[in-house]
Structure formats: structure tokens, C-alpha cells
Amino acid sequence: MLYRKTMLFVSGAVLSSMAVPAQSATVVSSSASDISINLRLLSLAAVGLGPLTSAGGSAGVSYANSDTLASADDTLTLGALGLVGVQQRLTTGVLTSAAQSPFPVSQSGSGRAEVDDLSTALGTVFLGQFTNLLGINATSVVSRSSVAAPGGIASATGFTQIEGLTLSGSLLGNVVIDGSLFVNPDPNTVLFSLGVLGSETLRIILNEQVPVSNGVHTAGISTNAIHVILNGLPVGTGLVSGNIYIARSQALISDAEAAVPEPAMWAQMIAGFALAGLVMRRRQRSASLALPHSRAAV
């Protein structure tokens, strides 16, 4: 919080000095994006995809931005000529990203991302034949991050909704996992984790929430509906590392404060004015008592 010094003077005498909150501008920012994939094979080759839609805004005024794509169909390949290597396949329905804030009508803002008809799979490809290692499918994946500051007290919340979630692939023992129980997963739910030789090489997190705050006047959050972390995962003859984000949203509000003195500061100000009045009355009384002596001396 920024402060300015307010000094109270009476006839050149300093009676009190207090810190009063300085005027500061509240800024609301939010953003959203659908899918972001970044993978690397060993430490040599790297590929990336997305986001395909994204939206954001940041200002002391209202904004409402959105971006939509009807569908997506992409393939990332790490390997020689695409014949032998690692592939990440992706198909979707409608992709939507939106960010909005009604500021200054309300000190609030939000970001929202939605991916419909998700189908993505990590696997190996040999002479055009794809083998699924990890597949993730869902009817709808939604992420929303919101911030607000009623009364100057900032807060942030995250929300995830996943419908029709299933996981499959050889990393799961070729068993299809029904994720219907995770429609509204708790924050930072670890759905699946895989370790090799005591080291975690794969983690799938639902409703991953990362808060950002420095106290009362600033709050923010980043929400990832699905986050897949690869850390040296053995795939084929190589090791794959990277991140897959599905439905990401962020929101932040800063310097959300009322530019008026707090109750304790009001008490200091009232005491200061009272003391000023007392000093002035004493000086007036001293002047009236001294006046006759001055005339007698003439």
C-alpha cells in the first residue's frame, strides 16, 4: 500500500503526523486459453501447439473479449520424418476463450475457457502405425477464474467442470478409467501418477489452482482444468518431457483499496484537531493576560 504524510500545523507548530492511504488505481486483469502443448524428446527436439483461441483484458475500465474456433485437428510428431517417433494427437469440437470485467461498476473480473469434444492421445508411431500410451477424452472441459473486491477486500476463486472424462492407453494397463466422479473435482486433484525407478515421470492434475496474493489489496488465481506433466517419461526409445494444459484461465485484481483513512487514522485526526483547538485557546488566554502588563510598562 502507498502512503503520503499528512502534517497538521497550528501557528507553525507541528501537532501530529499520520500515514493516510494514498490514492491508487485499481486494476483488474483476466485471460483464458483453450489448449497448450509443449513437448521435447530428450533434450534435442521440441514441439509446441496452441493456444488455438485466447482472450484477455487488463485496464481500469470495463472490457469483454472472446475468441472461438469451430474445431481442431492437429498432430505433433517428434521423430525422423514422422515415420518413427513420438506423437501427440488432438481433435476437438468448439473451442472458446473469454475474459471480461464490468469495472468500474464492479471491482471484479473473470476468465473462462471451454473445450468441447476433447480427444487427445500421446503415443508412438512406427511406419504410420500409432500405438496409444495415454489418451484423454471428455465431452466438455471448462475452467473459470474470478476476482472481486467488495469493500476493498480482494479475493480470488477458481472453478473446473469436466463432463464425460475417460482415460485409456498402455500406461494404464490398457484399462479405460471412468472419470465421471470428477465432474467438479476438488482443487489440485491428482488423478493419476506414474513413477519409474523412484522418480515421478507422469502426473495428471485436475482443477489445478495456483493462487497469487500479497495480502488484503491484491488477489489472483490461475486455474488449469487439466494439466498433464511429463518428466522424462520413457516413450519408445526416448524420454519425453513437457506440459499439456487443457482449459486455462487467470484473473488478478491489484491495489483494490478505498482511498479514505481507516478507523484508527480517523481517531488520530480527531485527536489532532482537538489538540490544535486546545493549543489555540491557551495561546488566546495567555495573550489576554499579558495585555495589561504591556500597557503599564508604557
Side-chain angles (χ1 to χ4, degrees), residues 209-262:
Q209 298 187 9
V210 181
V212 179
S213 175
N214 70 349
V216 175
H217 301 295
T218 299
I221 195 167
S222 176
T223 306
N224 303 308
I226 302 176
H227 183 192
V228 180
I229 304 172
L230 306 170
N231 184 25
L233 178 69
V235 178
T237 59
L239 302 177
V240 177
S241 297
N243 294 274
I244 302 172
Y245 296 98
I246 300 172
R248 307 187 71 183
S249 61
Q250 299 87 28
L252 175 70
I253 186 168
S254 60
D255 291 333
E257 59 179 305
V260 296
E262 298 174 1

Side-chain angles (χ1 to χ4, degrees), residues 167-294:
L167 281 74
S168 61
S170 61
L171 292 179
L172 308 177
N174 292 315
V175 174
V176 176
I177 296 179
D178 182 2
S180 59
L181 295 178
F182 298 96
V183 175
N184 299 119
D186 292 334
N188 304 304
T189 296
V190 178
L191 181 62
F192 182 77
S193 177
L194 178 65
V196 176
L197 298 178
S199 177
E200 186 180 60
T201 58
L202 172 64
R203 172 178 286 198
I204 302 175
I205 307 172
L206 305 182
N207 193 18
E208 182 182 46
Q209 298 187 9
V210 181
V212 179
S213 175
N214 70 349
V216 175
H217 301 295
T218 299
I221 195 167
S222 176
T223 306
N224 303 308
I226 302 176
H227 183 192
V228 180
I229 304 172
L230 306 170
N231 184 25
L233 178 69
V235 178
T237 59
L239 302 177
V240 177
S241 297
N243 294 274
I244 302 172
Y245 296 98
I246 300 172
R248 307 187 71 183
S249 61
Q250 299 87 28
L252 175 70
I253 186 168
S254 60
D255 291 333
E257 59 179 305
V260 296
E262 298 174 1
M265 294 179 183
W266 277 117
Q268 288 181 341
M269 292 176 68
I270 293 172
F273 287 132
L275 180 59
L278 178 62
V279 171
M280 292 180 68
R281 287 196 297 271
R282 286 183 175 179
R283 287 190 175 185
Q284 290 173 353
R285 182 180 179 184
S286 297
S288 62
L289 292 175
L291 185 58
H293 295 285
S294 298

Side-chain angles (χ1 to χ4, degrees), residues 21-55:
Q23 181 73 35
S24 62
T26 298
V27 176
V28 175
S29 60
S30 59
S31 62
S33 58
D34 47 33
I35 296 173
S36 179
I37 302 174
N38 294 281
L39 302 176
R40 67 178 182 274
L41 183 61
L42 298 174
S43 58
L44 303 177
V47 294
L49 171 67
L52 303 174
T53 67
S54 61

Side-chain angles (χ1 to χ4, degrees), residues 82-133:
L83 298 178
V84 179
V86 178
Q87 278 192 354
Q88 178 73 48
R89 296 184 172 185
L90 171 70
T91 61
T92 72
V94 178
L95 304 170
T96 305
S97 298
Q100 67 84 31
S101 171
F103 190 89
V105 175
S106 172
Q107 292 189 8
S108 62
S110 64
R112 184 182 186 278
E114 180 172 356
V115 177
D116 293 337
D117 298 325
L118 170 70
S119 178
T120 184
L122 173 69
T124 58
V125 59
F126 177 69
L127 298 177
Q129 182 66 39
F130 181 79
T131 301
N132 179 32
L133 298 178

